[in-house]
Amino acid sequence: MARIPNSGTQHALRAGDYEAVIASVGASLRTLTYEGRDLVVPFEADEVRPAHRGTTLVPWPNRVVDGRYSFGGADYKLSLTEPARGHALHGFGTWLDFEAVDKGPDHVTLSAVIQPQTAYPWRLIVTTTFSLGPDGLTQTVTARNDSADAAPWGTGPHPYLVAGDGRVDEWTLELPAAQVLAVTDDRLIPIDLEPVGQDDPARFDFREPRTIGAVEIDHAFTGLARDDAGVATVRVTDAAGHGVAMSWDSVCPWVQVHTADKPDPAQSRLGLAVEPMTCAPDAFNAERYAYDAGLIVIEPGASADASWRISAIA
């Protein structure tokens, strides 16, 4: 029997000038290219996936502060998977091995089960489809609640977008968000929503496209401008005008943007993380905040869906 790579079973997709490889561990987007050009920061098949690169975030994206939350009259304590800041980060799905339940040359559907556990006593069937077409790669995530009680839920992806040669500093960003979530400097704990132009527009206001430069961002944005179909689009381009766009509908009212700053200069700012989210950071504690954190509650037997698309700017 052939050895399975460290990132899991590989699912190669192709449609026109697009090619993608989906790794089964974490239902991770391992590579995505257009005419041979990377649209996301890739990793090797036999590599243990670097952090959350390209993974599917379920049953919550972003952080649960202190790993603690209350739901349905009970208190829960999650494992602290972001120990440096003391939070539970990005859900349980990032290291689950998703099984292929449908596959074709241009698409694959993967499924995994989040089993009831002490800190999250609900069973969710998570299914995600990656589909390549003329307009790029579309991912859809569906969660079905197979429990007897309602379950808290959120989802999002974690790609690092690549505009072209060079690094984040040299690229142009268009981010149509009017509000940014202010957080504490040390632990990124949410404080409150602020207009992007209020205190540090050079860092947060990219409603008009401009060069990213040396600013460091690891923040959630909302108040997204959308087209007539209700779609919000973030665009990242290089000096030649080539690049990548990420689009999603109103099911995701939030987006986390991270300039991927790392201690090792060789690994720092290789791509721009753009993470559409169905809910805000720490949405499992939505009652703490004056704004709508967007927590989804899935009733027994019901389902919730979300989707997004990555496409080339040629």
Side-chain angles (χ1 to χ4, degrees), residues 174-264:
E174 181 183 353
L175 170 62
Q179 295 175 298
V180 61
L181 183 59
V183 295
T184 62
D185 291 335
D186 55 347
R187 299 182 61 206
L188 303 185
I189 296 174
I191 301 172
D192 202 358
L193 285 177
E194 297 179 352
V196 292
Q198 176 174 294
D199 293 327
D200 197 347
R203 190 180 186 192
F204 298 129
D205 190 353
F206 288 88
R207 288 174 292 181
E208 293 297 324
R210 60 183 177 85
T211 304
I212 297 170
V215 297
E216 296 184 2
I217 307 169
D218 192 0
H219 292 72
F221 295 79
T222 191
L224 297 166
R226 299 176 182 273
D227 65 16
D228 292 342
V231 173
T233 300
V234 169
R235 297 178 178 88
V236 189
T237 53
D238 65 10
H242 301 115
V244 58
M246 192 160 189
S247 305
W248 60 91
D249 65 18
S250 59
V251 175
C252 293
W254 295 82
V255 59
Q256 184 83 9
V257 175
H258 182 208
T259 46
D261 304 278
K262 305 291 184 184
D264 179 0

Side-chain angles (χ1 to χ4, degrees), residues 9-13 20-24 98-100 103 108 110:
T9 303
Q10 308 295 299
H11 302 285
L13 311 178
V21 178
I22 312 304
S24 64
F98 283 69
E99 179 184 2
K103 186 176 180 181
V108 65
L110 306 174

